[in-house]
Amino acid sequence: MDHAATDAATDAATDTVPAAVPAPVPAGWPTTEAEARAVQDRLRPQVVLDEDGPVPGEGLVTGVDVAYDDERDLVAAAAVVLDARTLEVVERATALGRISFPYVPGLLAFRELPAVLAALGALKSPPGLVVCDGYGLAHPRRFGLAAHLGVLTGLPALGIAKNPFTFSYEEPGAARGAVAALVDGTEEVGRAVRTRDGVKPVFVSVGHRVSLDRACAHALHLAPRYRLPETTRRADALCRRALAEASSSS
DNA sequence: GCGACAG
DNA sequence: ATCTTGTCGC
């Protein structure tokens, strides 16, 4: 059971009250797969790739994640703001909504973003860098979740995924800190980053306004102890809790 | 045509 | 993502 007790204690120490507002689907949100792909192609040119982005270990970093209850057609998103230097929780927010899009590989953003945007909007703190559970430019049309979120919010964003998706990679060295290219054919779309000795790497890609080198540095700074970054671990725990509370009440 | 496929 | 027990290891 992990370190649930430790995490729960830390969460309880947070003074911020999670918001549980219904997440409306943004106006004009696509309904069909063809529309969704057209939206990606239209927004793709707005991705900014010539900024280094925030310095790892400085300022605020926000993790976002989503949990689903298909039976009840419920979705819960969480946004957890951390102090990048200490990795302490600064603020948390959640948002509930209806599932607005099915899971389709390559179109994940349309399923996750409405609730995520609502949770981000409920924060009082500026989010700083946003860390997504998934991919950014490592995407069939180079416009994954993290790139999409970055363009819609203007915030620097990056993606850290648990699986290589359709891409391939050379196994990085066994030591924490080792990296290897994540490639789509000959193009480097991201990197496999080893955050723990001898444990499967995470897959990092640029979203918006962050360089790949710096995105990888953020991944390592955010995961000092576990394979996954604290941002996703915190957001994952919070959205699951919010979903459970929503499902068990009215 | 068939299988794979972030979450 | 989600369904799920015990179990090996630090």
Side-chain angles (χ1 to χ4, degrees):
Chain A
M1 270 300 188
D2 231 68
H3 285 241
T6 302
D7 288 350
T10 311
D11 286 348
T14 308
D15 52 340
T16 322
V17 178
V21 298
V25 173
W29 205 247
T31 304
T32 68
E33 296 185 22
E35 286 172 5
R37 284 189 290 271
V39 168
Q40 292 180 326
D41 290 334
R42 181 162 53 77
L43 295 181
R44 157 92 188 69
Q46 293 181 43
V47 173
V48 171
L49 300 175
D50 61 2
E51 288 183 28
D52 288 335
V55 176
E58 294 182 10
L60 300 175
V61 195
T62 298
V64 293
D65 195 18
V66 181
Y68 301 91
D69 183 340
D70 292 295
E71 294 295 290
R72 303 184 186 234
D73 186 31
L74 271 180
V75 53
V80 180
V81 184
L82 305 184
D83 177 308
R85 188 175 63 79
T86 62
L87 302 187
E88 296 281 307
V89 175
V90 171
E91 189 188 353
R92 308 174 299 159
T94 60
L96 292 173
R98 298 294 176 186
I99 297 178
S100 58
F101 209 88
Y103 170 68
V104 179
L107 300 178
L108 178 64
F110 298 95
R111 179 169 170 81
E112 305 227 323
L113 282 185
V116 166
L117 294 172
L120 281 173
L123 293 171
K124 289 182 293 183
S125 341
L129 172 71
V130 180
V131 177
C132 299
D133 197 2
Y135 280 116
L137 295 193
H139 178 273
R141 287 168 295 282
R142 301 295 178 269
F143 198 68
L145 178 62
H148 201 145
L149 184 150
V151 165
L152 293 187
T153 63
L155 299 168
L158 60 86
I160 299 181
K162 297 181 285 297
N163 299 295
F165 198 14
T166 61
F167 309 108
S168 55
Y169 65 102
E170 298 294 314
E171 198 65 33
R176 164 181 158 80
V179 299
L182 180 70
V183 299
D184 185 355
T186 58
E187 183 182 356
E188 180 180 41
V189 294
R191 285 190 193 135
V193 177
R194 188 91 64 191
T195 53
R196 287 199 68 179
D197 292 353
V199 174
K200 176 180 178 174
V202 293
F203 304 91
V204 178
S205 66
V206 159
H208 185 60
R209 301 180 55 200
V210 190
S211 69
L212 182 54
D213 280 342
R214 201 157 271 187
C216 292
H218 279 290
L220 284 167
H221 273 281
L222 294 169
R225 177 165 184 190
Y226 300 102
R227 176 189 178 227
L228 298 180
E230 288 305 307
T231 38
T232 31
R233 297 184 73 249
R234 294 286 189 179
D236 178 75
L238 181 55
C239 68
R240 288 193 199 209
R241 200 194 70 179
L243 184 66
E245 289 175 357
S247 299
S248 63
S249 61
S250 61

